[in-house]
Protein backbone atom coordinates (compact mmCIF):
# COMPACT_ATOMS: atom_id res chain seq x y z
CA UNK A 1 0.00 0.00 0.00
CA UNK A 2 1.40 3.39 -0.99
CA UNK A 3 1.93 5.67 1.98
CA UNK A 4 0.39 9.12 2.17
CA UNK A 5 3.88 10.61 2.41
CA UNK A 6 4.94 8.87 -0.79
CA UNK A 7 1.83 10.22 -2.54
CA UNK A 8 2.55 13.71 -1.22
CA UNK A 9 6.11 13.54 -2.53
CA UNK A 10 4.84 12.35 -5.92
CA UNK A 11 2.52 15.37 -6.13
CA UNK A 12 5.31 17.71 -5.02
CA UNK A 13 7.68 16.39 -7.69
CA UNK A 14 5.00 16.57 -10.38
CA UNK A 15 4.26 20.18 -9.45
CA UNK A 16 7.78 21.35 -10.32
CA UNK A 17 8.36 19.95 -13.82
CA UNK A 18 10.99 22.51 -14.79
CA UNK A 19 12.98 25.44 -13.49
CA UNK A 20 12.20 28.82 -14.98
CA UNK A 21 15.39 30.71 -15.86
CA UNK A 22 15.60 34.15 -14.30
CA UNK A 23 17.29 37.20 -15.75
CA UNK A 24 20.67 37.59 -14.08
CA UNK A 25 21.82 41.03 -12.97
CA UNK A 26 24.20 42.69 -15.40
CA UNK A 27 27.04 42.54 -12.88
CA UNK A 28 26.45 38.90 -11.88
CA UNK A 29 29.54 36.70 -12.28
CA UNK A 30 29.35 34.37 -15.24
CA UNK A 31 32.04 32.00 -13.92
CA UNK A 32 31.01 30.16 -10.77
CA UNK A 33 34.43 28.59 -10.35
CA UNK A 34 35.94 25.18 -10.89
CA UNK A 35 33.44 23.19 -8.87
CA UNK A 36 30.64 24.21 -11.19
CA UNK A 37 27.80 26.66 -11.10
CA UNK A 38 25.34 28.22 -13.46
CA UNK A 39 25.61 31.13 -15.82
CA UNK A 40 22.11 32.25 -14.87
CA UNK A 41 19.34 30.99 -12.64
CA UNK A 42 17.79 27.75 -13.78
CA UNK A 43 20.64 26.48 -15.96
CA UNK A 44 22.50 23.16 -15.76
CA UNK A 45 26.28 23.54 -15.53
CA UNK A 46 28.20 21.81 -18.30
CA UNK A 47 30.05 19.78 -15.67
CA UNK A 48 26.78 18.21 -14.48
CA UNK A 49 25.92 17.10 -17.99
CA UNK A 50 28.97 14.83 -17.94
CA UNK A 51 27.06 12.55 -15.57
CA UNK A 52 23.89 12.74 -17.66
CA UNK A 53 21.97 15.54 -15.93
CA UNK A 54 18.83 16.59 -17.80
CA UNK A 55 16.25 19.33 -17.47
CA UNK A 56 13.54 16.85 -16.46
CA UNK A 57 15.54 15.32 -13.60
CA UNK A 58 13.88 15.92 -10.26
CA UNK A 59 13.95 13.77 -7.16
CA UNK A 60 13.10 13.98 -3.47
CA UNK A 61 13.48 11.48 -0.64
CA UNK A 62 12.83 11.38 3.10
CA UNK A 63 14.54 8.92 5.45
CA UNK A 64 13.33 8.60 9.02
CA UNK A 65 15.63 7.73 11.89
CA UNK A 66 13.80 4.38 11.95
CA UNK A 67 15.19 3.65 8.46
CA UNK A 68 11.90 4.14 6.60
CA UNK A 69 12.47 5.77 3.20
CA UNK A 70 9.91 7.46 0.95
CA UNK A 71 11.03 8.81 -2.41
CA UNK A 72 9.62 10.29 -5.60
CA UNK A 73 11.00 11.31 -8.96
CA UNK A 74 14.25 10.30 -10.61
CA UNK A 75 16.82 7.92 -9.17
CA UNK A 76 19.51 9.33 -11.50
CA UNK A 77 23.01 9.19 -10.01
CA UNK A 78 24.91 12.48 -9.82
CA UNK A 79 28.15 13.74 -8.21
CA UNK A 80 28.04 14.57 -4.53
CA UNK A 81 30.17 17.68 -5.01
CA UNK A 82 30.22 20.08 -2.03
CA UNK A 83 27.90 17.96 0.10
CA UNK A 84 31.03 15.90 0.77
CA UNK A 85 32.44 18.88 2.72
CA UNK A 86 30.07 18.29 5.62
CA UNK A 87 31.13 14.67 5.96
CA UNK A 88 34.83 15.52 5.69
CA UNK A 89 34.31 18.00 8.54
CA UNK A 90 32.74 15.35 10.73
CA UNK A 91 35.54 12.91 9.89
CA UNK A 92 38.18 15.49 10.86
CA UNK A 93 36.44 16.16 14.18
CA UNK A 94 36.35 12.48 15.07
CA UNK A 95 39.96 11.99 14.00
CA UNK A 96 41.48 15.00 15.80
CA UNK A 97 38.87 16.34 18.20
CA UNK A 98 36.74 19.47 17.83
CA UNK A 99 39.19 21.77 19.60
CA UNK A 100 41.99 20.92 17.15
CA UNK A 101 39.77 21.36 14.08
CA UNK A 102 38.44 24.74 15.24
CA UNK A 103 42.01 25.90 15.84
CA UNK A 104 42.60 25.52 12.09
CA UNK A 105 39.18 26.18 10.50
CA UNK A 106 36.69 28.63 11.97
CA UNK A 107 32.93 28.08 12.21
CA UNK A 108 31.61 31.48 11.17
CA UNK A 109 29.46 32.35 8.12
CA UNK A 110 31.57 34.07 5.49
CA UNK A 111 28.86 35.87 3.51
CA UNK A 112 31.06 35.25 0.47
CA UNK A 113 30.88 33.04 -2.59
CA UNK A 114 31.94 29.47 -2.02
CA UNK A 115 35.22 29.84 -3.93
CA UNK A 116 36.30 33.14 -2.33
CA UNK A 117 39.66 33.64 -0.66
CA UNK A 118 38.03 33.50 2.77
CA UNK A 119 40.88 33.73 5.28
CA UNK A 120 40.62 35.68 8.52
CA UNK A 121 43.04 38.60 8.33
CA UNK A 122 44.28 38.06 11.90
CA UNK A 123 44.16 34.30 12.53
CA UNK A 124 44.77 33.22 8.90
CA UNK A 125 42.06 30.58 9.36
CA UNK A 126 39.38 29.83 6.73
CA UNK A 127 36.05 31.25 7.84
CA UNK A 128 34.27 27.88 7.85
CA UNK A 129 34.68 24.32 6.52
CA UNK A 130 31.88 24.55 3.94
CA UNK A 131 33.50 27.09 1.62
CA UNK A 132 36.17 25.70 -0.68
CA UNK A 133 39.20 27.05 1.13
CA UNK A 134 37.93 25.71 4.45
CA UNK A 135 37.03 22.35 2.91
CA UNK A 136 40.50 22.05 1.39
CA UNK A 137 42.06 22.69 4.79
CA UNK A 138 39.69 20.22 6.45
CA UNK A 139 40.45 17.57 3.83
CA UNK A 140 44.16 17.95 4.57
CA UNK A 141 43.45 16.88 8.17
CA UNK A 142 42.22 13.45 7.11
CA UNK A 143 45.66 11.86 6.70
CA UNK A 144 49.30 12.32 5.81
CA UNK A 145 48.95 11.30 2.15
CA UNK A 146 46.43 11.73 -0.63
CA UNK A 147 45.62 8.00 -0.54
CA UNK A 148 45.00 7.98 3.20
CA UNK A 149 42.80 11.05 3.07
CA UNK A 150 40.69 9.76 0.19
CA UNK A 151 40.32 6.30 1.70
CA UNK A 152 39.17 7.71 5.04
CA UNK A 153 36.58 10.05 3.52
CA UNK A 154 35.31 7.50 1.00
CA UNK A 155 34.68 5.07 3.89
CA UNK A 156 32.75 7.76 5.74
CA UNK A 157 30.65 8.57 2.68
CA UNK A 158 29.94 4.89 2.02
CA UNK A 159 29.07 4.32 5.66
CA UNK A 160 26.69 7.28 5.79
CA UNK A 161 24.93 6.14 2.60
CA UNK A 162 24.83 2.49 3.64
CA UNK A 163 26.43 1.29 0.42
CA UNK A 164 29.60 1.69 -1.62
CA UNK A 165 29.45 4.87 -3.69
CA UNK A 166 31.32 4.81 -7.01
CA UNK A 167 33.57 7.51 -8.41
CA UNK A 168 32.45 9.27 -11.58
CA UNK A 169 35.84 9.39 -13.20
CA UNK A 170 34.84 11.65 -16.11
CA UNK A 171 33.67 14.37 -13.73
CA UNK A 172 36.78 14.01 -11.61
CA UNK A 173 39.14 14.22 -14.57
CA UNK A 174 37.34 17.22 -16.04
CA UNK A 175 37.46 19.09 -12.73
CA UNK A 176 41.15 18.37 -12.41
CA UNK A 177 41.82 20.00 -15.78
CA UNK A 178 40.38 23.27 -14.45
CA UNK A 179 41.48 23.19 -10.82
CA UNK A 180 43.52 26.40 -10.93
CA UNK A 181 41.37 28.31 -8.44
CA UNK A 182 41.30 25.55 -5.84
CA UNK A 183 45.03 25.09 -6.27
CA UNK A 184 45.43 28.83 -5.74
CA UNK A 185 43.39 28.59 -2.53
CA UNK A 186 45.53 25.69 -1.33
CA UNK A 187 48.72 27.60 -2.07
CA UNK A 188 47.34 30.62 -0.23
CA UNK A 189 46.83 28.39 2.80
CA UNK A 190 50.46 27.36 2.54
CA UNK A 191 51.61 30.95 2.00
CA UNK A 192 49.73 31.99 5.15
CA UNK A 193 51.37 29.12 7.09
CA UNK A 194 47.87 27.70 7.62
CA UNK A 195 48.65 24.37 5.90
CA UNK A 196 51.87 22.42 5.42
CA UNK A 197 50.60 19.64 3.15
CA UNK A 198 51.31 19.45 -0.58
CA UNK A 199 48.72 21.67 -2.27
CA UNK A 200 48.28 19.58 -5.41
CA UNK A 201 47.90 16.35 -3.44
CA UNK A 202 45.27 17.84 -1.14
CA UNK A 203 43.28 19.39 -4.00
CA UNK A 204 43.43 16.16 -5.99
CA UNK A 205 41.98 14.13 -3.11
CA UNK A 206 39.40 16.78 -2.27
CA UNK A 207 38.23 16.88 -5.90
CA UNK A 208 38.06 13.10 -6.14
CA UNK A 209 35.71 12.89 -3.15
CA UNK A 210 33.48 15.58 -4.67
CA UNK A 211 33.07 13.40 -7.79
CA UNK A 212 31.55 10.43 -5.92
CA UNK A 213 28.15 9.44 -7.33
CA UNK A 214 24.99 9.41 -5.24
CA UNK A 215 21.26 9.22 -5.88
CA UNK A 216 18.65 11.17 -3.95
CA UNK A 217 17.79 8.21 -1.66
CA UNK A 218 21.47 7.87 -0.73
CA UNK A 219 21.53 11.51 0.26
CA UNK A 220 18.40 11.16 2.38
CA UNK A 221 20.03 8.29 4.29
CA UNK A 222 23.21 10.36 4.70
CA UNK A 223 21.15 13.26 6.05
CA UNK A 224 19.29 10.91 8.40
CA UNK A 225 22.64 9.64 9.66
CA UNK A 226 23.42 13.18 10.78
CA UNK A 227 19.91 13.60 12.17
CA UNK A 228 20.35 10.46 14.28
CA UNK A 229 23.48 11.71 15.97
CA UNK A 230 25.87 10.03 13.53
CA UNK A 231 24.29 6.56 13.39
CA UNK A 232 23.12 5.20 10.02
CA UNK A 233 19.40 4.33 10.40
CA UNK A 234 19.57 1.54 7.80
CA UNK A 235 22.67 -0.31 8.93
CA UNK A 236 22.86 0.70 12.58
CA UNK A 237 26.54 1.58 12.13
CA UNK A 238 27.92 4.57 13.97
CA UNK A 239 29.58 6.82 11.39
CA UNK A 240 30.20 9.90 13.56
CA UNK A 241 30.30 10.59 17.25
CA UNK A 242 27.34 12.55 18.57
CA UNK A 243 29.64 15.55 19.11
CA UNK A 244 30.80 15.48 15.49
CA UNK A 245 27.26 15.10 14.12
CA UNK A 246 26.02 17.98 16.26
CA UNK A 247 28.88 20.23 15.14
CA UNK A 248 28.36 19.35 11.47
CA UNK A 249 24.66 20.23 11.73
CA UNK A 250 25.45 23.46 13.56
CA UNK A 251 27.76 24.67 10.81
CA UNK A 252 25.38 23.43 8.10
CA UNK A 253 22.63 25.60 9.59
CA UNK A 254 24.65 28.80 9.37
CA UNK A 255 27.00 28.12 6.44
CA UNK A 256 25.68 25.23 4.37
CA UNK A 257 23.95 27.10 1.53
CA UNK A 258 26.87 29.21 0.32
CA UNK A 259 26.18 32.94 0.34
CA UNK A 260 22.43 32.31 0.47
CA UNK A 261 22.49 30.74 3.95
CA UNK A 262 20.56 33.58 5.54
CA UNK A 263 17.61 33.28 3.19
CA UNK A 264 17.65 29.50 3.65
CA UNK A 265 17.43 29.75 7.44
CA UNK A 266 14.56 32.23 7.14
CA UNK A 267 12.60 30.30 4.54
CA UNK A 268 13.37 26.65 5.35
CA UNK A 269 14.95 26.62 8.81
CA UNK A 270 16.80 23.30 8.80
CA UNK A 271 20.53 22.53 8.74
CA UNK A 272 21.37 21.92 5.08
CA UNK A 273 24.18 21.50 2.59
CA UNK A 274 24.01 21.91 -1.15
CA UNK A 275 26.26 20.78 -3.96
CA UNK A 276 26.63 22.12 -7.47
CA UNK A 277 25.75 18.65 -8.76
CA UNK A 278 22.14 19.65 -7.97
CA UNK A 279 21.72 17.89 -4.62
CA UNK A 280 20.63 19.34 -1.29
CA UNK A 281 20.50 17.54 2.05
CA UNK A 282 18.79 18.75 5.21
CA UNK A 283 18.27 17.17 8.60
CA UNK A 284 15.78 17.62 11.41
CA UNK A 285 17.68 16.29 14.42
CA UNK A 286 16.14 13.24 16.01
CA UNK A 287 13.53 12.91 13.27
CA UNK A 288 14.65 12.44 9.67
CA UNK A 289 16.81 13.49 6.76
CA UNK A 290 15.53 14.96 3.50
CA UNK A 291 17.27 15.21 0.15
CA UNK A 292 16.40 16.71 -3.21
CA UNK A 293 17.97 16.57 -6.64
CA UNK A 294 17.40 18.91 -9.58
CA UNK A 295 20.43 20.00 -11.61
CA UNK A 296 19.47 23.57 -12.56
CA UNK A 297 21.29 26.03 -10.28
CA UNK A 298 20.71 29.58 -9.14
CA UNK A 299 23.42 32.21 -8.94
CA UNK A 300 24.47 30.98 -5.50
CA UNK A 301 25.16 27.49 -6.86
CA UNK A 302 22.06 25.98 -5.21
CA UNK A 303 19.42 23.88 -6.94
CA UNK A 304 16.47 26.04 -8.04
CA UNK A 305 13.76 23.38 -7.80
CA UNK A 306 15.44 21.68 -4.84
CA UNK A 307 15.18 24.91 -2.89
CA UNK A 308 11.55 25.31 -3.95
CA UNK A 309 10.73 21.79 -2.77
CA UNK A 310 12.33 22.40 0.61
CA UNK A 311 10.46 25.68 1.06
CA UNK A 312 7.17 23.93 0.32
CA UNK A 313 7.76 20.87 2.51
CA UNK A 314 9.01 23.01 5.40
CA UNK A 315 5.84 25.08 5.27
CA UNK A 316 3.47 22.15 4.78
CA UNK A 317 4.93 20.10 7.65
CA UNK A 318 6.00 22.97 9.99
CA UNK A 319 9.63 21.83 9.92
CA UNK A 320 11.29 25.20 10.56
CA UNK A 321 13.36 24.88 13.74
CA UNK A 322 12.03 28.24 14.97
CA UNK A 323 8.35 27.64 14.22
CA UNK A 324 7.58 27.01 17.87
CA UNK A 325 5.40 24.07 16.85
CA UNK A 326 6.72 20.52 17.32
CA UNK A 327 6.59 18.73 13.94
CA UNK A 328 3.92 16.07 13.89
CA UNK A 329 3.97 12.63 12.33
CA UNK A 330 4.87 12.98 8.65
CA UNK A 331 2.49 10.28 7.49
CA UNK A 332 -0.47 11.76 9.35
CA UNK A 333 0.27 15.27 8.15
CA UNK A 334 0.68 14.07 4.56
CA UNK A 335 -2.72 12.40 4.79
CA UNK A 336 -4.24 15.67 6.03
CA UNK A 337 -2.66 17.60 3.18
CA UNK A 338 -3.93 15.12 0.60
CA UNK A 339 -7.43 15.28 2.06
CA UNK A 340 -7.34 19.08 1.97
CA UNK A 341 -6.31 18.97 -1.68
CA UNK A 342 -9.02 16.45 -2.55
CA UNK A 343 -11.63 18.53 -0.72
Amino acid sequence: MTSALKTYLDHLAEGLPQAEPMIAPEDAPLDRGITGGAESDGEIPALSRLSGAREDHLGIAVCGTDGTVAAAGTDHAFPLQSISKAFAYGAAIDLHGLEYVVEHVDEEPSGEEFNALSLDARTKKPKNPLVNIGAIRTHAMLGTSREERVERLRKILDGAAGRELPLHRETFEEEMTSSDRNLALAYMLRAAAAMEDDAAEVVGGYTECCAVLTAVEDLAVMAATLAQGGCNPLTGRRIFSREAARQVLSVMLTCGMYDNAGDWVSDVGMPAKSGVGGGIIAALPGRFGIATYAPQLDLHGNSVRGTAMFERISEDFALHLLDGVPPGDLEERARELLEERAG
Side-chain angles (χ1 to χ4, degrees):
M1 180 178 177
T2 302
S3 72
L5 180 59
K6 162 65 174 168
T7 303
Y8 169 88
L9 295 178
D10 285 334
H11 287 321
L12 184 59
E14 291 167 1
L16 292 166
Q18 62 183 6
E20 292 295 333
M22 298 169 62
I23 302 300
E26 291 183 3
D27 60 348
L30 295 181
D31 180 9
R32 290 295 304 178
I34 72 161
T35 55
E39 294 181 355
S40 66
D41 286 350
E43 294 187 5
I44 299 176
L47 186 66
S48 292
R49 293 193 185 274
L50 293 178
S51 57
R54 301 196 315 252
E55 282 76 5
D56 62 339
H57 280 162
L58 179 70
I60 183 169
V62 179
C63 178
T65 53
D66 61 355
T68 303
V69 178
T74 183
D75 61 356
H76 174 73
F78 57 94
L80 190 62
Q81 296 292 9
S82 288
I83 295 172
S84 66
K85 296 173 180 175
F87 295 86
Y89 186 47
I93 292 169
D94 278 338
L95 182 61
H96 297 286
L98 178 57
E99 183 177 351
Y100 175 90
V101 175
V102 174
E103 284 178 358
H104 294 85
V105 179
D106 215 332
E107 49 195 353
E108 299 298 330
S110 69
E112 300 167 325
E113 292 188 353
F114 65 89
N115 59 3
L117 177 56
S118 185
L119 280 179
D120 185 271
R122 181 178 60 86
T123 66
K124 307 304 181 184
K125 294 193 296 186
K127 296 293 180 61
N128 67 70
L130 301 184
V131 291
N132 284 13
I133 195 168
I136 289 167
R137 182 63 186 94
T138 301
H139 187 85
M141 298 181 196
L142 300 183
T144 58
S145 68
R146 172 174 172 169
E147 291 74 21
E148 183 182 0
R149 291 186 284 262
V150 169
E151 181 180 7
R152 174 169 281 114
L153 183 50
R154 291 287 298 272
K155 285 183 177 178
I156 290 291
L157 297 174
D158 292 350
R163 72 177 184 93
E164 187 173 338
L165 301 174
L167 173 68
H168 191 253
R169 187 158 295 279
E170 189 176 2
T171 293
F172 167 58
E173 292 175 350
E174 177 61 27
E175 287 193 283
M176 287 304 297
T177 65
S178 55
S179 60
D180 290 350
R181 187 171 184 87
N182 275 354
L183 283 168
L185 296 176
Y187 280 115
M188 284 303 299
L189 286 167
R190 285 176 55 85
M195 185 178 78
E196 297 179 354
D197 305 86
D198 181 273
E201 291 290 298
V202 173
V203 169
Y206 161 77
T207 304
E208 179 175 340
C209 292
C210 287
V212 168
L213 285 175
T214 55
V216 71
E217 288 191 39
D218 296 321
L219 289 183
V221 175
M222 295 169 80
T225 297
L226 293 171
Q228 192 168 247
C231 187
N232 184 304
L234 299 186
T235 66
R237 284 186 55 203
R238 177 156 292 283
I239 309 304
F240 294 128
S241 67
R242 301 192 74 84
E243 179 186 39
R246 182 185 65 198
Q247 180 69 10
V248 170
L249 290 175
S250 297
V251 175
M252 283 170 55
L253 180 63
T254 57
C255 310
M257 299 299 286
Y258 301 134
D259 48 330
N260 198 46
D263 284 342
W264 178 273
V265 172
S266 296
D267 297 338
V268 178
M270 288 186 281
K273 184 71 196 84
S274 62
V276 295
I280 302 175
I281 64 169
L284 195 65
R287 295 294 305 277
F288 44 76
I290 307 174
T292 60
Y293 166 63
Q296 297 95 335
L297 304 182
D298 63 22
L299 291 173
H300 303 285
N302 299 323
S303 170
V304 175
R305 291 181 295 166
T307 299
M309 283 192 285
F310 268 107
E311 290 175 352
R312 177 64 181 275
I313 200 170
S314 178
E315 179 180 355
D316 283 351
F317 290 84
L319 301 183
H320 198 295
L321 288 173
L322 304 181
D323 264 339
V325 179
D329 180 80
L330 292 182
E331 185 69 16
E332 292 180 4
R333 178 56 180 157
R335 189 173 296 109
E336 291 176 0
L337 291 166
L338 294 173
E339 290 173 355
E340 292 172 6
R341 176 176 295 184

